[in-house]
Amino acid sequence: MRIFSKRELNEYSLSLTYDDVSLIPTEISRVKTRSEVNIKSKFLGIDLAVPVVSSPMDTVTGIAMAKELSNSGCLGIVNRFDSSLTELFSNGNVVEGVQAVSVSLTAEDSLLEKIASNNLIVCIDTANANNAHVLNKCEEIKKKYEVKVIVGNIAHGGTLQQLVDAGADAVRIGIGGGSVCTTSIQTGIGIGQVSSLIDCYFTREDQKLKIELIADGGIKSAGDVTKALSAGADAVMLGRMLAGTKETPGEVIKYADQLWKKYRGSASFGVKMKGEFIEGEETMVPYKGSVKSVVNAISDGLKSAMSYLNCESLGELKQKDKFAVLSTSSYLERLPRK
Ligand code: IMP
């Protein structure tokens, strides 16, 4: 079997995603226990205990989620669809513990001023960052205000330089990979997440660009988080993995003897509520209890992976260059059987 370095994987003939690759421990690990492993990082100037960012979707991140994630050492980006943003600034003072908010392309100065004066990170929440209007908005915000700006999404590093020129501090990487995303079906656009990440990572390294990379969409497990980080992401953005937790907006529903919460795409009918072009699904996910338990499970899985791979820090994990490309049957063999 061939062991691929990240650079070699970037040249692979097919587009690859999380289930296509696996990390191979090829050396004796010096890590004694998981507790020795450090997964702390600095992301957009914020100290993260776990490199997890929540997706700014209306069924994922409202104020309660953003606050709880901040308590857990992660980053929550409040969505722009429900009343969360209004609530956030309702009585003159911003609600404590919220570090980032998303805005639409048409966000007005009155909102941006409040965001900037409260030192919050801005996420311009669009489907396609490779768009002149998005880049103009980013440039305008960066010129007027002292804020960090996240743009998105891209699937390839070809335009990374232009994003950096527009002042973007971070970019969401992934088109078509989200679990409620129908973009690829509706448009034929998008490639596998691992290929997207590796391409953007090497573009940034080779062109010496200063921009942080967020793996966005398609992450199903702590194992996928490890793969995203070793493919070059600085942080992972989660939708479905956080959906269904107590802190998400929306009610718990009892159906068929089980508890559920709604999870839907930002471009789904339920969000748009009109006959626009729909690129997202709506679904129900099992109720999961507190988001803290999800974050802890991710943290444990990531630390365990790092102990297998002889890594004491996320910086070391990014340098680990030992990937296997899985055949379908070796992928299936990895799954537990009943
Ligand atoms: P998940 O973690 O796989 O569920 O993916 C979440 C990501 O899917 C989000 O952060 C967005 O990038 C993307 N996304 C959210 N809503 C939609 C949609 O309606 N259409 C396409 N992609 C979406």
Side-chain angles (χ1 to χ4, degrees), residues 18 53-58 60 81 125-127 152-153 172-184 193 214-220 237-243 263-269 271-272 278-282:
Y18 299 115
V53 179
S54 70
S55 184
M57 297 163 78
D58 76 336
V60 178
F81 303 101
D125 187 29
T126 62
N153 281 29
R172 294 161 69 180
I173 298 167
I175 293 182
S179 67
V180 278
C181 173
T182 54
T183 301
S184 280
Q193 284 299 109
I214 306 170
D216 179 20
I219 293 176
K220 309 174 291 309
M237 180 173 275
L238 305 177
R240 183 177 290 253
M241 277 192 81
L242 305 181
Y263 179 47
R264 65 185 180 189
S266 299
S268 64
F269 180 78
V271 173
K272 294 194 159 186
I278 301 300
E279 284 185 44
E281 294 277 306
E282 296 184 56

